[in-house]
Amino acid sequence: MQLYLPIADLPINVFLVLAMGAAVGFVSGMFGIGGGFLMTPLLIFIGITPAVAVASVASHIAASSFSGALSYWRRRAIDPALASVLLCGGVTGTALGVWTFTQLRALGQLDLMIALSYVVLLTTVGSLMFSEGLRALMRTRRGTVPPRRTHNWIHGLPLKMRFKRSKIYLSVIPVVIVGIAIGFIGAIMGIGGGFILVPIMIYLLRVPTSMVIGTSMVLTLVTMLFATMLHAVTNHLVDAVLALILMVGGVTGAQFGARAGQKIRGEQLRLLLGLLILAVGIRFAVELVIRPEDLFTIRELGVSG
């Protein structure tokens, strides 16, 4: 069944996009990530321009994150105080990211920046997460437990705040900075940033794993909803028809993914997530080398290369 997308300016197979939305929603719910790192490249691969893909996927990420966050909220697996501090930086970073997105689009460099950012970020983060997850899995099988440091240099910073549900006493400075970075990256690349935020919260901020995924989803939900509004008002690139199809699939898939994620051990989740991120990064790099004309064909409204 073919449906014409008014902003993307091309016809798409509705069932294909629905299936993509459900699959990415499942991944989002399972790993506690927005899923944009997977959905945005998939849309680009089927012919949608990077700018429209980034702007439209933000709404899909918000919908999937809402569904997943609701599930974690019911289980009291979200730290409201930590989420609030993260959002202080996240909203600021998102606004700055949309402004940068607009400037790059005006200069005709947006598609190139998006493609290169995906290749560099996904291959780097994917490699690090995969190797760490593999080491953790091997340690578990051997029955060895590595010495765990309870504090690092971040815990010595001023302006500390007690996050009761997470049971940590931490400076708000690194939390706000992390929020700004995640919001900025998400607005430019069309990703929720959960695959970056989750390991940062676990290894750098020392947030308990039980609170990480749900809290991450709250930040993703608000920043992506804000990004969708800004992209729609500023750049007029949000394809409502595409966003609606993605949302329907994403909300459905996220519910099943959240349940599946509770049945898999933490080190297995990190290993699988690292492998998935690395695979998407490599696939994007191959596409960039073999068929660069498909990634950089400018079909954006009112834009010339």
Side-chain angles (χ1 to χ4, degrees), residues 98-121:
V98 172
W99 179 84
T100 304
F101 181 100
T102 304
Q103 299 305 310
L104 289 172
R105 182 173 176 242
L107 294 172
Q109 300 298 316
L110 181 60
D111 289 0
L112 176 62
M113 179 60 66
I114 291 173
L116 292 178
S117 297
Y118 264 101
V119 172
V120 173
L121 184 63

Side-chain angles (χ1 to χ4, degrees), residues 33 121 125 129 182 185 191 193-201 277:
I33 56 179
L121 184 63
V125 174
M129 290 190 68
I182 297 300
I185 293 172
I191 59 178
F195 69 96
I196 304 174
L197 181 59
V198 167
I200 287 178
M201 291 175 70
I277 294 171

